[in-house]
Amino acid sequence: MTTPALLPLSGRRIPALSPGASSFPHHRATLRLSEKFILLLILSAFITLCFGAFFFLPDNSKHKTRTGCGTQTPPPPPPADINVFLSAPPPAYFLSPREEEESLRDKIRADHERALQEAKEKLRKSRAELQAEIQTEKVRVVEELKKKEAGPRPLPPVPMPKVVGVSDGEPPEPAVKEKRDKIREMMKHAWDSYRQYGWGHNELKPLAKKGHTTNIFGNSQMGATIVDALDSLYIMGLHEEFKDGQEWIEQNLDFTGVNAEVSVFEVNIRFIGGLLAAYYLSGQEVFKLKAVQLAEKLLPAFNTPTGIPWAMVNLKSGVGRNWGWASAGSSILAEFGTLHMEFVHLTYLTGNPVYYQKVMHIRKLLAKMDRPNGLYPNYLNPRTGRWGQHHTSVGGLGDSFYEYLLKAWLMSDKTDTEARKTYDDAIEAIERHLIRKSNGGLTFIGEWKNGHLERKMGHLTCFAGGMFALGADGSPDDKAGHYLQLGAEIAHTCHESYDRTVLKLGPEAFKFDSGLEAVAVRQNEKYYILRPEVIETYWYMWRFTHDPKYRQWGWEAAQAIDKYCRVSGGFSGVKDVYSSNPTYDDVQQSFFLAETLKYLYLLFSSDDLLPLDSWVFNTEAHPLPVLHLGNITLPGSQPAQR
């Protein structure tokens, strides 16, 4: 059996399918024979009970509507069309006792048939699916009872965190300003094309000039590009475009009754992160309300034996499941580990501790587990609480777990020392086992698979250069200079992966083996889908060093994107960065507007635009403010060391 490829789920975290692929198989466990027999016994007992009850029903002729001092519901008036009235079956209050009894018998028979059919459908499902549905139904009933008792609870008034540097940031140098203006023009072209050809759809097919969606959003039209692009539009001063997006969200973004199975991770980082960022930047309440409404729809995903959430959840039923390809039904480290920032802000804004409790439970569970060589495997089974296959990566499947440990500390105004200690320990193990230097002198981050280091680095992994630089200040043992240098080395390696291609755009993955360095070998690793990770690292390195080479490298990437990815209907990924005549994948990813263009714009802006001591960017580049919580001490936190 061939190993299924993985979807292009985001600007980071999950390896992408090679262009053109769109789905993967789902493997379902089947019930054992003994379990089917027990279910059939229960079903037969239920049917016997129903039919027995039928024969012992009291005589309905004794239960008439009351008269005299009692009340009697008057019959409704006949419809205007008397023929319709005469041809309709007589209502219950016109039936004779015998007819009324026959009607009741018919209803019970129909109910039995429906129950039998539902039972047959249940038997076709796997044990895991049945357990998930039972658990979801239990939680739903409890939650509904709580809501009926408490009634609708309005969001409490909370002080707006300190927000500074949300606009402008114009650089003093004319040449730099010209580059920034070009990035804004690219953003406007991407947005206008989506506005014209894909409005309301999740993404855009810029060649076909129509909407595009993937199964991470349940193939529903949730306007992912609109939500993802909002904060980029705002900080670039494209306020008319921002207003158009806001109006669409007010009128169309409604999650009630949406029968769609979505990725918890992707909806969290793109939608909840995007809506929260738009709220903090603009102050418009609608974004906060929509974020909270959607977050409530994600909570059933946590209804597992361990509290580790499912990868997918149905927004209507609340039933969750995991990807069929993920190591025997495991959840993925980068997915359940990339919720903390958004969920802490949800608790802050709503006063509801459940969001904070969910993510802290995940952290506590991981802290108790043994880790092979101090490394976190990418797979964890949400039923058993055991690791899946021992594969560790700072690229797809693992990356943003480490990023969010660091950013949890930063977002807490450096009071969440537990998160910082966990991050430092993880990075120490990564340095020891995954980071190597090639024969040609390039520092790279490999992948650990069952005790073996694979000398391969993904485009997704290139975000780590920026992470190392961001975490340098506050690192233990006075190693700030070491980690800033490590960030610079990763930035250099990732630039080489761009520079060694024909298009000057980086491949999805590249190797350091058999004399090849920073070069893709397989055809299905040679594509570029408008990813932001390399440019993200350039921006962080620029902020911390102001070395002009990072702006130079960023401008090279921007020119290559504009030259080879721009089409009349927007921007498209390309299938082979080593070909002088590349073909397009015909997808304008939402993260291109959320991340790639935003990081380029910030790279050519002054440092007072979204300063890093006041803002922390989620893994989709949505800026969230640092929470200066004052005297409030959250579990796992300690007073800031200043």
Side-chain angles (χ1 to χ4, degrees):
M1 183 178 69
T2 57
T3 303
L6 308 187
L7 281 173
L9 294 187
S10 176
R12 187 170 317 145
R13 282 64 59 192
I14 304 295
L17 275 172
S18 54
S22 61
S23 62
F24 33 30
H26 303 285
H27 305 289
R28 303 201 306 180
T30 56
L31 290 173
R32 294 193 296 271
L33 185 60
S34 60
E35 294 168 332
K36 290 186 177 180
F37 180 71
I38 291 170
L39 283 172
L40 284 171
L41 280 178
I42 295 171
L43 175 64
S44 61
F46 169 74
I47 294 174
T48 302
L49 179 64
C50 290
F51 274 102
F54 168 77
F55 289 107
F56 288 97
L57 284 170
D59 184 0
N60 280 279
S61 63
K62 298 178 183 177
H63 295 271
K64 305 298 182 186
T65 53
R66 292 183 295 160
T67 58
C69 295
T71 59
Q72 184 175 6
T73 304
D81 187 348
I82 193 64
N83 293 320
V84 173
F85 175 69
L86 293 175
S87 63
Y93 43 78
F94 287 143
L95 296 178
S96 67
R98 179 179 293 276
E99 290 171 332
E100 191 172 350
E101 186 172 323
E102 282 296 320
S103 175
L104 183 59
R105 288 176 183 271
D106 291 339
K107 182 178 184 304
I108 291 175
R109 289 191 189 98
D111 289 343
H112 289 163
E113 289 294 330
R114 184 165 56 253
L116 185 61
Q117 183 61 34
E118 289 176 357
K120 289 179 179 178
E121 292 175 358
K122 293 289 184 187
L123 289 174
R124 295 191 189 102
K125 296 186 176 183
S126 71
R127 181 180 181 182
E129 288 175 321
L130 289 172
Q131 288 175 335
E133 289 188 12
I134 291 169
Q135 183 65 23
T136 298
E137 185 62 18
K138 286 181 180 178
V139 174
R140 186 187 66 79
V141 171
V142 171
E143 291 298 324
E144 284 184 357
L145 289 174
K146 288 181 180 178
K147 288 179 181 179
K148 287 179 181 179
E149 293 173 0
R153 189 175 79 167
L155 297 182
V158 294
M160 176 72 86
K162 181 182 179 182
V163 290
V164 297
V166 299
S167 60
D168 197 19
E170 184 170 313
E173 308 91 340
V176 178
K177 181 181 182 302
E178 184 179 348
K179 291 179 174 65
R180 192 175 83 143
D181 289 344
K182 174 60 180 178
I183 304 304
R184 184 192 287 112
E185 184 276 329
M186 291 170 66
M187 178 71 184
K188 191 162 176 16
H189 176 64
W191 174 264
D192 289 346
S193 298
Y194 169 79
R195 181 74 174 84
Q196 183 174 357
Y197 303 117
W199 193 240
H201 290 267
N202 290 317
E203 291 171 323
L204 170 68
K205 295 179 75 67
L207 273 73
K209 295 184 177 178
K210 63 180 183 181
H212 171 73
T213 194
T214 65
N215 63 350
I216 59 175
F217 304 120
N219 293 319
S220 58
Q221 295 186 29
M222 295 173 61
T225 294
I226 298 174
V227 180
D228 232 0
L230 279 173
D231 52 1
S232 296
L233 294 169
Y234 193 90
I235 68 172
M236 292 184 190
L238 297 172
H239 295 301
E240 286 300 316
E241 290 80 359
F242 179 88
K243 183 179 178 182
D244 286 345
Q246 178 178 338
E247 289 178 356
W248 186 91
I249 287 170
E250 289 174 338
Q251 298 168 11
N252 299 283
L253 192 61
D254 184 3
F255 311 107
T256 57
V258 175
N259 188 15
E261 189 181 48
V262 302
S263 163
V264 175
F265 161 76
E266 295 289 350
V267 166
N268 176 63
I269 65 171
R270 301 197 201 201
F271 282 82
I272 295 178
L275 290 166
L276 290 176
Y279 164 67
Y280 285 122
L281 291 170
S282 70
Q284 297 296 314
E285 289 284 320
V286 63
F287 300 127
K288 177 173 68 174
L289 295 174
K290 295 289 185 181
V292 173
Q293 290 169 8
L294 180 54
E296 289 176 353
K297 297 287 187 180
L298 298 186
L299 287 177
F302 292 83
N303 298 332
T304 67
T306 60
I308 297 294
W310 301 111
M312 308 284 285
V313 69
N314 186 291
L315 293 179
K316 183 176 182 180
S317 69
V319 174
R321 69 174 177 89
N322 275 340
W323 302 107
W325 46 262
S327 187
S330 290
S331 298
I332 297 169
L333 182 69
E335 294 195 336
F336 65 76
T338 310
L339 303 166
H340 190 98
M341 290 180 64
E342 298 82 2
F343 275 44
V344 167
H345 271 277
L346 287 167
T347 284
Y348 175 75
L349 292 172
T350 65
N352 187 350
V354 67
Y355 301 105
Y356 181 78
Q357 291 167 354
K358 296 293 187 189
V359 291
M360 287 303 296
H361 174 79
I362 293 172
R363 186 193 294 179
K364 298 296 184 186
L365 185 147
L366 292 176
K368 296 175 183 177
M369 296 183 65
D370 292 331
R371 294 182 293 280
N373 296 317
L375 298 170
Y376 289 86
N378 291 336
Y379 299 106
L380 179 62
N381 191 300
R383 299 185 189 90
T384 66
R386 297 191 183 97
W387 297 117
Q389 66 187 79
H390 287 183
H391 173 207
T392 297
S393 171
V394 185
L397 306 177
D399 45 13
S400 50
F401 164 71
Y402 308 101
E403 175 188 359
Y404 268 39
L405 290 174
L406 172 63
K407 290 181 175 179
W409 174 69
L410 291 169
M411 198 180 72
S412 71
D413 198 20
K414 301 182 180 180
T415 61
D416 189 353
T417 54
E418 180 183 84
R420 176 75 212 209
K421 176 67 164 55
T422 307
Y423 168 80
D424 289 332
D425 291 346
I427 296 305
E428 182 182 344
I430 287 168
E431 270 208 274
R432 187 182 310 118
H433 296 288
L434 304 186
I435 298 180
R436 297 288 184 272
K437 196 175 285 285
S438 72
N439 293 334
L442 296 178
T443 301
F444 68 94
I445 308 174
E447 298 188 8
W448 192 263
K449 291 188 176 180
N450 297 317
H452 170 71
L453 181 67
E454 186 176 9
R455 298 171 66 85
K456 169 185 172 182
M457 187 169 173
H459 192 290
L460 295 167
T461 318
C462 286
F463 93 99
M467 179 179 72
F468 293 144
L470 184 62
D473 185 22
S475 56
D477 304 323
D478 296 323
K479 296 176 71 175
H482 166 72
Y483 284 112
L484 192 61
Q485 176 61 30
L486 181 58
E489 291 176 11
I490 296 297
H492 173 66
T493 297
C494 293
H495 174 256
E496 287 299 306
S497 77
Y498 273 53
D499 202 45
R500 298 181 186 192
T501 70
V502 173
L503 304 186
K504 303 304 179 185
L505 293 170
E508 182 69 6
F510 42 95
K511 291 199 171 185
F512 299 85
D513 210 356
S514 303
L516 295 174
E517 297 194 357
V519 174
V521 177
R522 298 178 180 177
Q523 188 61 41
N524 64 358
E525 295 174 342
K526 295 181 178 180
Y527 59 90
Y528 172 72
I529 56 171
L530 307 172
R531 287 207 188 273
E533 287 74 24
V534 175
I535 296 166
E536 175 183 356
T537 280
Y538 294 165
W539 174 62
Y540 277 113
M541 293 307 303
W542 164 257
R543 279 284 176 103
F544 289 111
T545 69
H546 286 156
D547 187 328
K549 71 182 178 186
Y550 296 115
R551 278 184 166 173
Q552 176 188 340
W553 291 352
W555 183 239
E556 290 172 3
Q559 287 179 302
I561 292 170
D562 197 52
K563 181 176 181 179
Y564 295 110
C565 299
R566 183 173 185 140
V567 295
S568 62
F571 289 87
S572 169
V574 293
K575 295 183 179 181
D576 189 346
V577 293
Y578 299 96
S579 171
S580 57
N581 295 304
T583 55
Y584 297 106
D585 66 8
D586 197 18
V587 179
Q588 180 176 281
Q589 307 278 351
S590 80
F591 57 70
F592 177 63
L593 292 83
E595 299 185 78
T596 310
L597 292 175
K598 181 187 287 125
Y599 283 130
L600 281 169
Y601 187 81
L602 291 170
L603 181 61
F604 298 109
S605 298
S606 60
D607 291 1
D608 58 1
L609 179 58
L610 300 176
L612 291 176
D613 56 354
S614 298
W615 296 90
V616 184
F617 288 72
N618 88 337
T619 200
E620 190 79 357
H622 296 308
L624 300 176
V626 170
L627 291 176
H628 303 278
L629 296 178
N631 296 324
I632 300 175
T633 301
L634 299 174
S637 300
Q638 297 176 8
Q641 302 297 318
R642 298 191 183 279

